[in-house]
Amino acid sequence: MDREGRMASGMERLGAERSRNGRSRRERRSGFLLAAVTGLFAAASIYASALVFQHASALDEATPYHAAWAASQAVGEFVRLEQRITAYALAGDAAAEEEVSLRLAIVKGRLRLLASGRLTEFGERSPDLRQALERVSAAVARAEALFGDTGGDAPAKARAALAVLAPAVPELSRFASAVNQYSSEEISEAQDNLIRQHRNFSLLAGTCLLFSGLSIAFILHNNRAMRRAQFRLQSLSVDLSAEKENAEAANRAKSRFLAVMSHELRTPLNAIIGYAEIIQEESRREESRRQEGRPGQGQGSGAARQAAECAEYILGGGRHMLVMVEDLLTVAKLESMTLSLNRDSVDSRAAVLFALNMVRSSTIGQGRTVELDPDSAWPVLYADEKALRRMVTNLLSNALKFSTPPSPVRIACTAGPQGEVEIAVTDQGIGMTAEQAALAVQPFTQIDSRLSRLHEGTGLGLSIVKGLIEAHGGRLEIASEPGRGTRAALVLPASCVLARPAKPEREREQLGQEATL
């Protein structure tokens, strides 16, 4: 995919990422708020449970009603006991005596009730009243003992019993009055507590209802916001998909255009170059005949030299234009993934030497030195020989173009730990940053620097190298540092190696004094 397609894909990924980030932030906020509301509801539930227990405790504390009732009942039963004793003194029969015994048992039960339960706390708070109750109980016990004796005069027994019970009447009345007062205080406090708990419970219930309403409203609002965001995301996805399809269609159209135009331009260029070579050759023959003193068919030596120069200009321009057309055609095939490789057994050293000869015919190679690493072992590769020559030629051209004499350019071939082969071209030129190296392999991209602007170029060299080496299953590695130079390496996988030399061939190729380019 070309830059337009990559840009559309990047926009789509960016939009999706932003949408995911937006949803994540909204979900985090929603989760936090819902967690807070849930925590509040939990706290409210715990508090409500506590209020319920307090309410039950308050109800339990309302038993002072029963204590006051028991005290009043004890006083009433004590009065009825005295009445029955008086009636027994008058009648003196067995029925009256049994009635007295029954009343005595009832009074004893009332006194036991007053001495137990919540009135125990009251007795602990008022020791004198507890002692008074004990004296009343003792008096009742003595009276019961009197009536337990079957013998004796009934009036005498009645008078004795009334005499024993007479001091207990004010004691019991005083105790009952104190119990009534205590019960009134406890009842008033319990009522206040109930009212306060009812108010707190009502407030809690209202708060829970409010938070429930807010939670429901928030959830509904969040759902609407998520639906709107989902709709916008779907619309954006549709727009991005359409833009992506348009970019891909434009890329395919551009690739078809480059392929067609390359073929259309290559035909007349080949004709121009052919005719220029004929004119150049004829001019050389005419000049040679003139120097030998033989008559020629031209218009003189001056015209022949001029024709030769014109032919040289035409030939140079045509070849340069043909190289650019070939580059455009290669880029179009790489982008459309229609490039086919003619793989065969290739002598890597011979391919590199061929690239040196290619650079020898260019102006940038004149007076320069290129060194072949003497320790390099050049294997036999299974690759496209033409593509390998072209990749090495492009790397050498770049190394010479962006470095200055007398700095040398070195070519080395090494084996990697996984059996891969690395053909590296190293220079000591201007170098570049990692960001510039990443841009340099993009089509039609030139690193903007003073030295690079001194040389012409389309910016396709490294991108073609990258595409061709990747078509072989390898990769292009660039290590560079500004002001220190650049190392560009073709890394071919172990599957491309057919044979390795037993010993590295030590040699040195110099393009300069020893091998002038």
Side-chain angles (χ1 to χ4, degrees), residues 48 75 84 152 159-160 179 186 218 307 335 337 356 383 409 445 480 513:
V75 173
R84 293 303 176 187
R159 285 193 299 272
V179 168
E186 290 290 319
F218 172 76
E335 289 187 346
M337 291 181 293
L356 291 179
V409 174
T445 302
S480 184
Q513 296 178 355

Side-chain angles (χ1 to χ4, degrees), residues 337-389:
M337 291 181 293
T338 58
L339 180 70
S340 59
L341 298 176
N342 298 320
R343 296 198 180 197
D344 202 350
S345 177
V346 179
D347 184 352
S348 58
R349 179 177 177 277
V352 170
L353 291 177
F354 181 87
L356 291 179
N357 292 328
M358 289 291 294
V359 178
R360 181 178 302 166
S361 62
S362 65
T363 58
I364 61 173
Q366 297 178 0
R368 300 299 303 276
T369 299
V370 176
E371 298 176 352
L372 288 180
D373 182 35
D375 295 325
S376 295
W378 300 92
V380 178
L381 301 175
Y382 180 66
D384 188 320
E385 185 174 7
K386 183 179 178 181
L388 182 60
R389 291 173 179 176

Side-chain angles (χ1 to χ4, degrees), residues 215-228:
S215 300
I216 294 173
F218 172 76
I219 292 173
L220 293 176
H221 174 73
N222 192 45
N223 288 337
R224 286 195 296 268
M226 292 182 66
R227 284 197 296 270
R228 288 195 298 267

Side-chain angles (χ1 to χ4, degrees), residues 1-9 243 247-248 250-251 254:
M1 186 182 296
D2 65 352
R3 284 179 293 178
E4 292 85 354
R6 288 193 293 271
M7 182 168 21
S9 177
E243 292 296 331
E248 290 177 349
N251 179 48
K254 183 197 71 176

Side-chain angles (χ1 to χ4, degrees), residues 37-369:
V37 172
T38 304
L40 288 175
F41 277 136
S45 301
I46 295 173
Y47 185 60
S49 300
L51 287 180
V52 170
F53 283 114
Q54 290 181 6
H55 185 72
S57 177
L59 291 177
D60 182 64
E61 291 175 357
T63 53
Y65 284 108
H66 302 288
W69 175 83
S72 63
Q73 287 293 319
V75 173
E77 292 296 337
F78 204 88
V79 172
R80 281 190 286 274
L81 173 62
E82 289 181 331
Q83 292 175 353
R84 293 303 176 187
I85 293 174
T86 302
Y88 169 72
L90 295 175
D93 55 2
E97 187 175 0
E98 289 179 359
E99 182 68 22
V100 170
S101 298
L102 178 62
R103 291 299 170 183
L104 282 171
I106 292 174
V107 169
K108 287 176 64 178
R110 299 299 182 189
L111 292 177
R112 283 195 300 271
L113 181 63
L114 291 176
S116 62
R118 289 191 55 82
L119 287 179
T120 304
E121 179 182 354
F122 172 72
E124 293 175 354
R125 291 174 52 184
S126 302
D128 57 333
L129 294 177
R130 184 179 69 251
Q131 293 173 0
L133 184 62
E134 291 174 353
R135 287 193 293 271
V136 172
S137 299
V140 172
R142 288 196 300 273
E144 185 178 17
L146 290 174
F147 284 98
D149 188 6
T150 56
D153 185 23
K157 290 166 60 176
R159 285 193 299 272
L162 290 175
V164 170
L165 295 176
V169 174
E171 294 281 0
L172 185 59
S173 298
R174 186 166 65 89
F175 182 82
S177 176
V179 168
N180 286 331
Q181 183 178 358
Y182 168 75
S183 299
S184 299
E185 294 175 355
E186 290 290 319
I187 290 170
S188 178
E189 183 178 355
Q191 288 177 344
D192 293 340
N193 191 20
L194 286 174
I195 293 173
R196 183 169 59 255
Q197 292 181 15
H198 178 72
R199 182 173 60 250
N200 293 338
F201 194 82
S202 300
L203 180 62
L204 178 62
T207 304
C208 291
L209 289 176
L210 177 61
F211 274 107
S212 299
L214 291 177
S215 300
I216 294 173
F218 172 76
I219 292 173
L220 293 176
H221 174 73
N222 192 45
N223 288 337
R224 286 195 296 268
M226 292 182 66
R227 284 197 296 270
R228 288 195 298 267
Q230 184 178 8
F231 176 75
R232 288 195 298 268
L233 179 61
Q234 291 175 349
S235 301
L236 181 61
S237 178
V238 171
D239 294 340
L240 288 175
S241 298
E243 292 296 331
K244 179 182 177 182
E245 291 176 359
N246 293 336
E248 290 177 349
N251 179 48
R252 289 191 295 269
K254 183 197 71 176
S255 298
R256 287 194 299 269
F257 171 77
L258 289 175
V260 172
M261 290 304 298
S262 296
H263 284 293
E264 294 296 328
L265 289 173
R266 206 160 43 165
T267 301
L269 279 175
N270 286 329
I272 292 172
I273 293 171
Y275 284 119
E277 289 176 346
I278 293 173
I279 294 173
Q280 187 182 49
E281 183 63 27
E282 185 63 30
S283 299
R284 289 175 179 173
R285 289 177 181 175
E286 182 68 25
E287 182 66 20
S288 178
R289 285 194 294 268
R290 187 189 63 80
Q291 292 177 356
E292 293 174 359
R294 294 183 295 173
Q297 298 176 355
Q299 298 180 358
S301 60
R305 284 194 298 271
Q306 186 177 8
E309 292 177 357
C310 291
E312 185 177 356
Y313 293 147
I314 295 172
L315 185 60
R319 286 175 177 170
H320 179 68
M321 192 170 183
L322 181 60
V323 170
M324 289 192 295
V325 171
E326 290 285 352
D327 288 345
L328 291 174
L329 181 59
T330 303
V331 170
K333 289 181 178 180
L334 289 173
E335 289 187 346
S336 61
M337 291 181 293
T338 58
L339 180 70
S340 59
L341 298 176
N342 298 320
R343 296 198 180 197
D344 202 350
S345 177
V346 179
D347 184 352
S348 58
R349 179 177 177 277
V352 170
L353 291 177
F354 181 87
L356 291 179
N357 292 328
M358 289 291 294
V359 178
R360 181 178 302 166
S361 62
S362 65
T363 58
I364 61 173
Q366 297 178 0
R368 300 299 303 276
T369 299

